Amino acid sequence: MDQQSKDPLHGITLERLLTILVEKHGWEKLAGEVNINCFKSDPSIKSSLKFLRRTPWARKQVEELYIRDVEDSSNKSDSADYTVG
């Protein structure tokens, strides 16, 4: 029986998740969404990963932002299937 996880974080590393968010939103928007200095002051993937791995509340906020993005994307693609052209 092949049963896929419904968890949107299943199989994705924190590094990949962060890279996707930075590519989609940029550091400035991420800093607005999650108020942490590593997104505001000389941001980098490496420094952000170090902070997020040591700070559970910040990691949770970043993961929740990613999940919202995934859900928004799937909702938009579902509604696109029903548009009349």
Side-chain angles (χ1 to χ4, degrees):
M1 227 192 261
D2 288 334
Q3 196 173 28
Q4 290 185 336
S5 173
K6 293 185 184 218
D7 179 4
L9 298 176
H10 179 78
I12 188 165
T13 64
L14 182 59
E15 182 175 10
R16 182 70 188 131
L17 179 150
L18 185 58
T19 301
I20 290 168
L21 289 173
V22 170
E23 288 173 355
K24 182 173 182 183
H25 300 290
W27 289 110
E28 191 173 320
K29 175 140 193 242
L30 283 178
E33 293 284 336
V34 182
N35 188 14
I36 54 177
N37 284 337
C38 65
F39 287 175
K40 296 177 184 179
S41 176
D42 194 25
S44 73
I45 296 290
K46 184 177 178 179
S47 67
S48 298
L49 285 172
K50 185 175 181 178
F51 179 79
L52 292 171
R53 287 179 177 135
R54 295 180 180 187
T55 316
W57 65 264
R59 181 177 182 151
K60 183 172 179 12
Q61 287 185 10
V62 171
E63 288 173 344
E64 288 171 351
L65 176 60
Y66 175 80
I67 290 168
R68 281 196 312 269
D69 277 3
V70 168
E71 289 172 350
D72 287 348
S73 293
S74 71
N75 288 340
K76 286 178 184 174
S77 68
D78 288 346
S79 63
D81 292 340
Y82 297 105
T83 57
V84 177

